[in-house]
Amino acid sequence: MKNANNSVFIRLLYKFSCYISGLFLFSLMLLIISAFVPRKWGNYSQDNCEMQICVSNTGIHTNIILPTKNHIFDWHKFISIGKVGIDRAQDYNYISFGWGDRDFYMLTPALSDLKFSTTFKALFLPTPSVMYVKGYLSIPNYLDVKCIQISKNDYLQLVEYIQASFQLDAKGEKVRLGNGHTINAGFYAAVGSYSILQNCNSWTASALRKADINTPLWDGFSSAIMLHLRDSCN
């Protein structure tokens, strides 16, 4: 009788493991397929697109690159550009913004520094987020960067979204948490919690949608963001 019960238990355990594995593979397949499906179909071209924005892809993260100053908006009025990094640069011509898990971003400068505990928390637990801000004298040519044109109104919508992603202290000031992984970068406290369903690339995609830019149905992959990033101006 005992052996029969054990046999039944093993069969049930096997069926359960097969079910879980199949569900996982099916979900993964759906995510991969949806990464290639755009949210908007057809012709959605726009006029009067005189503002340029860029998106960089590090292979894992995407970041939005904007001019520090143009005739529409001056980032100097929002953040101390000269204090973003520690390279003592008098000024930057471009500034990039990225959002992500605080521990993963700040404690993992390279894949060789990756820890299981940090990765597990980032993927399966809601964790504090951080803004990664980086200054450039010119648009970096050592990264995968794609630039497109948008309208003034869409540009301002994008700026407002980025501004709202910064966590402010009691005095209404941005909270700088530490130096970045390069001398031209810094970390700032951010709004929102990181999770597997709301990751760094999801933030980039949400920002782009604010500017009426097409994004993938599932935006968790950096490569999917870049694939759908296209100039829609006449």
Side-chain angles (χ1 to χ4, degrees):
M1 186 68 180
K2 186 176 181 180
N3 289 335
N5 289 336
N6 287 339
S7 178
V8 171
F9 175 76
I10 291 173
R11 285 200 300 270
L12 289 175
L13 185 62
Y14 174 75
K15 289 182 180 180
F16 179 75
S17 62
C18 289
Y19 172 79
I20 295 298
S21 299
L23 183 63
F24 173 79
L25 291 175
F26 178 73
S27 301
L28 182 61
M29 183 177 65
L30 283 181
L31 289 178
I32 293 174
I33 292 174
S34 61
F36 290 93
V37 178
R39 286 179 180 256
K40 295 192 295 184
W41 292 84
N43 182 17
Y44 54 94
S45 60
Q46 303 178 35
D47 297 315
N48 302 318
C49 300
E50 56 183 276
M51 311 304 298
Q52 184 186 71
I53 70 164
C54 302
V55 177
S56 66
N57 176 20
T58 68
I60 300 176
H61 304 286
T62 48
N63 301 284
I64 298 172
I65 304 176
L66 302 175
T68 54
K69 182 180 180 180
N70 55 31
H71 65 286
I72 295 298
F73 187 77
D74 184 355
W75 281 102
H76 295 84
K77 297 179 179 180
F78 179 77
I79 192 171
S80 299
I81 301 294
K83 296 180 180 179
V84 166
I86 57 172
D87 57 351
R88 305 302 179 188
Q90 294 297 316
D91 201 358
Y92 299 113
N93 295 321
Y94 296 90
I95 187 169
S96 76
F97 301 93
W99 180 96
D101 175 77
R102 184 175 298 183
D103 285 347
F104 190 93
Y105 240 139
M106 297 184 70
L107 303 178
T108 314
L111 289 177
S112 58
D113 302 298
L114 193 63
K115 295 181 180 179
F116 174 78
S117 59
T118 304
T119 305
F120 180 85
K121 287 194 297 182
L123 289 176
F124 300 109
L125 298 175
T127 54
S129 57
V130 70
M131 291 293 293
Y132 189 43
V133 184
K134 199 169 185 177
Y136 297 102
L137 293 176
S138 60
I139 295 176
N141 57 11
Y142 55 88
L143 293 175
D144 176 18
V145 177
K146 186 182 288 188
C147 300
I148 62 172
Q149 300 290 125
I150 62 175
S151 69
K152 293 180 182 179
N153 182 63
D154 289 337
Y155 186 88
L156 289 175
Q157 292 294 318
L158 175 62
V159 168
E160 288 180 7
Y161 182 87
I162 295 173
Q163 288 178 313
S165 298
F166 283 83
Q167 181 179 315
L168 306 179
D169 62 17
K171 296 181 180 180
E173 298 293 332
K174 274 65 66 180
V175 182
R176 192 177 189 278
L177 299 175
N179 299 327
H181 303 313
T182 56
I183 60 174
N184 59 329
F187 292 104
Y188 294 78
V191 173
S193 297
Y194 184 97
S195 70
I196 191 172
L197 298 177
Q198 179 63 31
N199 64 21
C200 54
N201 300 308
S202 302
W203 177 87
T204 300
S206 295
L208 295 175
R209 285 194 292 273
K210 286 291 183 179
D212 200 25
I213 298 168
N214 205 4
T215 60
L217 196 59
W218 187 69
D219 42 36
F221 297 138
S222 62
S223 56
I225 300 291
M226 303 302 284
L227 175 67
H228 294 277
L229 186 66
R230 296 177 183 176
D231 203 324
S232 60
C233 293
N234 293 325

